Amino acid sequence: MLPIHPVLLASFLWLSSYAANRDELFFHDVMGAGLAITGAAMLLVGLVWSLTRNAGLSGVLALIIIIGVAYYGRVFDGLDAALGGTLPNGVFLVLWCLLFLAAIGVIAAKRSRFESLTRSLNLVSLALIALPLGSLAIGAVGGQKIAEAQAAPLPPVSVAEGPTRRPDIFYLVFDRYADNRTLKQLYGFDNGVFLEGLRQRGFHVTDQARANYTKTAHSLASSLNLQHLHGLSEQIGSGSGDWKPVYSLLRENRAAQFLKAQGYRYLHLGSWWQPTRDNDLADESFDGTPPLPWLGISLNEFQWLLAKPSLLVRAADLLLGQSHDREREQHQRVRKKFEKLAAARHQDAPLFVFAHMLVPHPPYVFHPDGRFKTAAEAQALPERRNYLDQLLYSNQQIEALLDELLARDPQPIIILQADEGPFPARYSRDTEGFDWRQASDEELKEKFGILNAVYFPDRDYRGLQGDVTPVNTFRVLLNTYFGTQLPLLPDRSYSFASDSDLYSFFDVTDALQ
């Protein structure tokens, strides 16, 4: 009997992870890792068969190897948690490898055909893999709503006749950068010196700026598509926790499409967060993630989720003394992205740069002077102190970057915004169960208050007067520099109920006044 159980068990690894995160992952996000794992299992079975010429034996040996390599971290973490974190990593690694090798030796010595065992393992693995496949099939029932949301046509943007200006455009998003009211009232810090520095450089700074939506995905989907998200609410309805419709609007956003049609080269500086990690519209995507020191490649969130528990990763961390430190990785990533921004210049075409900077967003990895802050150092400090340290570092880097960009001739357009404010304390304690309909006005102000500053080279800020919100930023930009005649939308702010009800929007604008 053909041993399919090793391939099915290996496929279960990535399919179960995909199913557990189906509301946030597209198939193309997982396809590469999934095909690599399934293909590697097939090659392993074929290789063992070529050595043994025994189908049943090759299947059992391949199964032992897959369990030994792929499930090491899962077993260790479970036992370590049960023992209160006292399980010695090195001792367990040695015992696991000895058990692993002994099992291979015992099975290989039998030289049995294992027909009955192969039949049973095939049936068990089929039943096992049916679980994530069933979950994914149920999730696919809502796929038509997603397709409809993606297919909803955006109003065309036409460019007026006559000369237009083509300066470089930098859209710089600093995640959870609070407005000064929040910083004063909740953090005991006045950011006025930094904001005044922006004004002296010629920026239009929106006083009491606020986001249009509660979370990053909705906010960026709105600003980059120059529209509110009522269409998603109408098409998908209430009770959906599926993030993919709004993620689709990030991937195929209207601002990038318009500017590329005008001859712009698109440089995308993403984050470790998968929805902005890269973009297929971009001429170049860069997220600054350093490669694993012992592997030479960088992994995205899903790939790391699969790789982290493996024997190969855990053994390399322990034996080489090069533990994969996600905090240090973030420290390097942010620094590299600031360097990339300072070096970004157009050559044969004007440049559109989108950068999603996860600062002052946690993890808190920066002292104010840019030195690396370890996890232990961050844990020893209050949350708000860590936030301010990271904000002060961000301010210094932003000022240095702006001075570099504004010294150029011609000067670029620069949009300096946050997508959302910091998490209120009650929300941080229960991000999945928190109901924004029950949020206080102060909690909403903390979440919606943001940094919002814009630099136009000719200082023509007539379209930005008043409390213009990010949904209108690119409308004003295109009207001013490309001759479009886009009407401004109502500057309203909306929240959704919870992470399990992402598209039931309700207006919170009055609560933010």
Side-chain angles (χ1 to χ4, degrees), residues 78-265:
L79 291 175
D80 189 47
L83 295 174
T86 61
L87 185 61
N89 198 350
V91 173
F92 186 80
L93 176 64
V94 172
L95 292 176
W96 181 270
C97 290
L98 289 175
L99 179 64
F100 174 50
L101 294 173
I104 292 177
V106 170
I107 296 297
K110 287 183 176 296
R111 305 296 298 179
S112 173
R113 303 197 67 83
F114 294 106
E115 291 183 357
S116 177
L117 181 60
T118 297
R119 186 179 299 108
S120 297
L121 289 173
N122 283 349
L123 290 174
V124 170
S125 59
L126 282 169
L128 188 65
I129 203 169
L131 298 175
L133 288 176
S135 176
L136 291 170
I138 293 172
V141 171
Q144 183 60 39
K145 289 185 176 181
I146 296 173
E148 290 172 358
Q150 292 174 293
L154 293 167
V157 178
S158 59
V159 178
E161 296 293 334
T164 54
R165 295 160 284 172
R166 298 290 188 271
D168 289 348
I169 301 171
F170 285 76
Y171 185 26
L172 312 178
V173 177
F174 288 84
D175 208 306
R176 300 192 198 169
Y177 195 120
D179 69 336
N180 203 29
R181 176 174 57 181
T182 295
L183 292 174
K184 286 180 179 179
Q185 294 180 354
L186 300 182
Y187 291 79
F189 175 75
D190 188 347
N191 204 29
V193 174
F194 174 74
L195 298 178
E196 183 58 30
L198 295 180
R199 292 188 177 94
Q200 291 178 1
R201 288 174 173 86
F203 275 78
H204 176 276
V205 180
T206 302
D207 294 318
Q208 297 185 358
R210 49 190 164 80
N212 292 107
Y213 290 90
T214 318
K215 298 293 286 290
T216 298
H218 296 74
S219 291
L220 292 183
S222 174
S223 62
L224 285 167
N225 285 283
L226 296 71
Q227 63 177 358
H228 289 296
L229 304 181
H230 304 315
L232 292 181
S233 180
E234 295 168 359
Q235 293 164 11
I236 298 174
S238 62
S240 174
D242 194 335
W243 290 89
K244 293 192 292 296
V246 73
Y247 289 172
S248 295
L249 292 178
L250 292 177
R251 290 177 180 270
E252 302 175 9
N253 69 82
R254 184 185 189 188
Q257 291 186 38
F258 175 86
L259 292 170
K260 284 182 67 70
Q262 301 301 312
Y264 274 73
R265 182 174 179 273

Side-chain angles (χ1 to χ4, degrees), residues 418-455:
D419 49 346
E420 56 175 329
F423 283 1
R426 281 202 309 138
Y427 178 72
S428 295
R429 290 193 292 267
D430 185 15
T431 56
E432 294 185 3
F434 189 85
D435 189 337
W436 285 102
R437 292 169 298 190
Q438 306 302 319
S440 68
D441 288 357
E442 290 307 311
E443 287 171 326
L444 290 171
K445 289 175 182 177
E446 182 178 3
K447 195 70 191 71
F448 279 83
I450 60 169
L451 170 70
N452 188 1
V454 177
Y455 182 86

Side-chain angles (χ1 to χ4, degrees), residues 8 25 27 30 33 58 69 126 128 147 173 182 216 249 290 300 336 348 381 401 416 431 435 488:
L8 293 179
L25 290 170
F27 181 67
V30 307
S58 65
V69 172
L126 282 169
L128 188 65
V173 177
T182 295
T216 298
L249 292 178
N300 63 30
K336 287 183 178 181
D348 300 327
L381 295 172
L401 174 63
L416 192 62
T431 56
D435 189 337
L488 297 191

Side-chain angles (χ1 to χ4, degrees), residues 260 264-268 279-285 352:
K260 284 182 67 70
Y264 274 73
R265 182 174 179 273
Y266 176 16
L267 171 60
H268 181 94
N279 192 296
D280 291 339
L281 295 173
D283 297 286
E284 179 184 356
S285 289
F352 170 53

